[in-house]
Amino acid sequence: MNSLLAAIPPREKIQSIEKPETKPPSEAETIAGLQKIVSSSRLGTFLQCRLKFYYRYVAQIKKAKTAALFLGNAVHETLKAWNKTRWKENRLLSLKELHDEFSRAWEEQSKEEPVNWEGEEEAEKLTGWRLLETYMRQYGLYLAIKPEAVEVPIEADLGNHGLPKLVGVLDLVQQRRVVDYKTSGTTPKEEQSAHTHEVQTCTYAVLYREANGQRELGIELHSLVKLKNPKLSIIELPPMSDSQETRLFHLMEAYVEGLERKDFVPSPGFGCMSCEFFDNCRRWS
Amino acid sequence: MAVTLSANYSKKLGLPGFSSHFFSVSVEVELTDLSQVQAECAKLYQLLQQSVDKEIKQVGFVPDEFFGIDAIGQGQDTQQGGPHQQHQNGNGSHRNGCSQGHHKGSDGHSRSSNGNSDSWNCTDGQRGFILRIVNENNIDKQEVEDLSQQLYQLGVKHLNKMQASQLIEELLAKAGKPSGRTRWSQPRNQQQPS
């Protein structure tokens, strides 16, 4: 079971509390399920490459978690603990406590799913810790600002738009702003990020509005950049515009229609170099 | 000419769960002349206050935060002699602390509109999920209420959809269960791609 989960992104890695299905669903049933519930990662993957989407979500081919994803998840879990503590206990974690949380998150993931580190685990772990230290040094000292939500799953029924249910997890909400954490190897540029993350940020905006009955004041991308000297990049985006919302809904329509047609052709391009399904794709015909 | 003096003492106390109760005592006494009024008033006031205070300490049935929710789902709410009936007859007025009205919005939220204290601000699904987690895991409802207050300074019923979702996450964690997002999962498909 653990190895099967390798092919699924962390936010969607799910261990169902329901009784396991005795009979595995057919491909048609799986596709029907994917048409009913959309997340930004599902939508983003479909838009990036429909064959990749097929391999990941329909065929559910298992792939080992990459070191970068492992590190990102551990950093993410640690920030979650940090936010929960400042919210619920009204205090900031000390650096030692933060390091303990990070080590715990690392260990938990290792138990769940080992990664082939090729001897680099300690170096990667140090990188992760330095990212967190950087974040704390440059951002993390505002105890007065209280979270409104931390790692909260939200769903929005868009049936009245003729669209499926939209789901997602908001990393952090505070001061009516939705914050999303990222780890990256390069410093993001504002305009590029606004475009490349638009599906995700608009999804979060729709979810925020649905759940709170009011518009968000903005969306922030907090990127922890893995440079020799780690840095924090915060990109502040304005609230989703009406045209962005329309655009998201059109993309969702294309997603549903594409799945209906079983349109799972590849999209060869530069992104293929880092795709975990590169070999599968080369064999596709 | 006889002088009739009427005295009344009432007291209303707030109770948990947006409840209150109220007790009132009235007496009439006859005085022989007006010079007795002041002294008699003082005596009656003390007497009535002591009497009311003594009795009002007995609060009787007090509904908790989730009172009546299960009954609504099971259609028990309208039955005579049920918890509502007992409450109304035995303990004076029960007011709703919610100042908003209540309606079912197009977005699936239940919102206040009719003064019904059993209305929740989150969705029906969230309300049911919270109650199920609480019941199945024997979590003290007061603990849930305290957690809601700690996070949002709001009672459970007043949480909006995002806040309720956060509370559900906290309750699931408390119960040692996986996150509520599990319901989005796709069942495993064992077949291999062609």
Side-chain angles (χ1 to χ4, degrees):
Chain A
M1 182 63 184
N2 282 346
S3 56
L4 277 171
L5 292 171
I8 302 175
R11 306 295 180 78
E12 304 202 359
K13 184 171 60 187
I14 284 149
Q15 294 164 341
S16 175
I17 57 173
E18 305 297 331
K19 284 185 179 176
E21 292 277 336
T22 49
K23 185 183 166 192
S26 66
E27 182 175 297
E29 287 167 339
T30 302
I31 291 173
L34 290 164
Q35 284 180 298
K36 286 179 190 158
I37 299 179
V38 185
S39 65
S40 67
S41 52
R42 284 179 190 178
L43 184 55
T45 306
F46 181 82
L47 298 169
Q48 182 191 7
C49 175
R50 285 162 280 181
L51 185 58
K52 182 177 181 178
F53 176 90
Y54 175 84
Y55 287 143
R56 183 179 287 176
Y57 295 109
V58 182
Q60 300 178 33
I61 298 176
K62 56 183 180 181
K63 290 288 176 186
K65 189 184 275 185
T66 62
L69 187 57
F70 186 103
L71 186 152
N73 288 348
V75 167
H76 199 277
E77 277 300 305
T78 311
L79 288 172
K80 175 182 166 185
W82 177 71
N83 281 319
K84 285 264 178 100
T85 303
R86 74 187 173 96
W87 187 10
K88 293 170 71 177
E89 297 177 28
N90 196 32
R91 69 182 184 92
L92 297 173
L93 286 175
S94 66
L95 272 184
K96 183 186 177 306
E97 288 173 314
L98 195 75
H99 191 269
D100 290 345
E101 287 291 345
F102 178 62
S103 297
R104 191 175 305 127
W106 196 275
E107 290 307 313
E108 285 299 314
Q109 266 202 102
S110 299
K111 277 188 235 162
E112 198 177 283
E113 187 182 340
V115 169
N116 180 10
W117 295 102
E118 298 176 348
E120 293 294 316
E121 180 171 4
E122 281 312 305
E124 291 287 350
K125 195 172 176 182
L126 181 61
T127 301
W129 172 242
R130 290 184 67 209
L131 289 176
L132 286 163
E133 263 188 321
T134 303
Y135 190 76
M136 293 303 128
R137 200 168 53 245
Q138 295 186 16
Y139 182 78
L141 299 173
Y142 301 104
L143 187 56
I145 299 173
K146 293 291 173 207
E148 288 150 34
V150 173
E151 191 85 5
V152 64
I154 296 181
E155 54 187 57
D157 183 354
L158 301 178
N160 54 352
H161 294 277
L163 294 170
K165 184 183 283 183
L166 187 64
V167 300
V169 179
L170 306 186
D171 286 350
L172 172 67
V173 180
Q174 58 187 19
Q175 297 182 307
R176 284 179 62 186
R177 302 177 73 82
V178 181
V179 176
D180 192 61
Y181 293 123
K182 300 193 174 302
T183 50
S184 69
T186 55
T187 307
K189 292 190 174 77
E190 186 163 341
E191 196 168 331
Q192 281 178 5
S193 288
H195 182 74
T196 55
H197 297 299
E198 189 177 271
V199 166
Q200 190 183 25
T201 56
C202 289
T203 297
Y204 291 165
V206 169
L207 294 173
Y208 178 89
R209 292 175 190 190
E210 158 70 16
N212 291 281
Q214 62 182 357
R215 287 164 73 94
E216 73 288 356
L217 292 181
I219 296 171
E220 295 178 11
L221 301 174
H222 290 201
S223 298
L224 287 76
V225 191
K226 293 180 278 185
L227 299 174
K228 192 175 174 186
N229 291 314
K231 67 187 255 190
L232 167 66
S233 159
I234 296 181
I235 294 176
E236 297 185 9
L237 302 172
M240 176 181 68
S241 67
D242 291 346
S243 62
Q244 282 180 309
E245 185 180 51
T246 304
R247 207 159 121 134
L248 176 69
F249 289 173
H250 281 319
L251 293 175
M252 288 179 69
E253 269 174 1
Y255 168 93
V256 174
E257 288 165 8
L259 262 64
E260 188 65 39
R261 292 194 305 271
K262 297 188 179 176
D263 184 0
F264 299 123
V265 295
S267 305
F270 291 114
C272 298
M273 296 306 104
S274 58
C275 179
E276 69 266 35
F277 299 110
F278 182 85
D279 293 335
N280 306 75
C281 184
R282 292 297 293 163
R283 292 195 296 272
W284 178 85
S285 60
Chain B
M1 182 185 76
V3 176
T4 302
L5 176 64
S6 295
N8 172 269
Y9 185 85
S10 300
K11 185 168 276 187
K12 187 175 186 178
L13 289 182
L15 294 172
F18 304 109
S19 297
S20 64
H21 74 160
F22 169 82
F23 186 48
S24 178
V25 176
S26 301
V27 292
E28 279 189 359
V29 291
E30 280 192 3
L31 306 177
T32 51
D33 63 71
L34 287 171
S35 65
Q36 296 176 305
V37 170
Q38 197 169 11
E40 197 63 29
C41 273
K43 197 169 86 182
L44 287 175
Y45 185 83
Q46 193 180 16
L47 176 67
L48 295 183
Q49 187 180 56
Q50 282 174 354
S51 301
V52 170
D53 282 354
K54 185 182 170 199
E55 300 306 324
I56 206 166
K57 287 177 190 167
Q58 311 303 318
V59 296
F61 171 73
V62 179
D64 66 24
E65 267 299 301
F66 307 120
F67 173 70
I69 297 305
D70 291 335
I72 286 174
Q74 295 158 13
Q76 295 170 352
D77 209 25
T78 54
Q79 291 175 13
Q80 292 296 313
H84 279 298
Q85 196 69 29
Q86 177 194 351
H87 168 68
Q88 285 164 357
N89 290 342
N91 290 284
S93 63
H94 176 194
R95 68 179 170 84
N96 180 11
C98 210
S99 60
Q100 293 175 308
H102 226 8
H103 71 277
K104 180 91 172 175
S106 60
D107 57 5
H109 291 246
S110 294
R111 297 203 179 87
S112 299
S113 82
N114 59 8
N116 180 356
S117 65
D118 286 329
S119 56
W120 291 44
N121 207 26
C122 60
T123 66
D124 292 343
Q126 288 180 313
R127 182 186 68 180
F129 199 13
I130 290 170
L131 292 171
R132 186 156 69 88
I133 298 167
V134 169
N135 290 334
E136 288 179 1
N137 298 282
N138 295 318
I139 299 174
D140 184 353
K141 287 172 180 171
Q142 189 55 49
E143 222 178 309
V144 181
E145 189 63 23
D146 292 345
L147 181 58
S148 176
Q149 289 288 348
Q150 182 193 12
L151 294 174
Y152 295 109
Q153 295 79 52
L154 289 171
V156 176
K157 290 179 183 177
H158 296 152
L159 299 181
N160 71 17
K161 193 173 167 183
M162 184 179 80
Q163 294 162 339
S165 187
Q166 185 80 59
L167 182 74
I168 288 168
E169 289 298 294
E170 299 295 324
L171 292 175
L172 286 170
K174 197 179 189 61
K177 297 280 170 64
S179 161
R181 74 190 76 160
T182 50
R183 59 190 182 278
W184 302 337
S185 66
Q186 277 289 107
R188 284 268 153 222
N189 183 351
Q190 309 252 320
Q191 63 190 3
Q192 291 299 308
S194 53

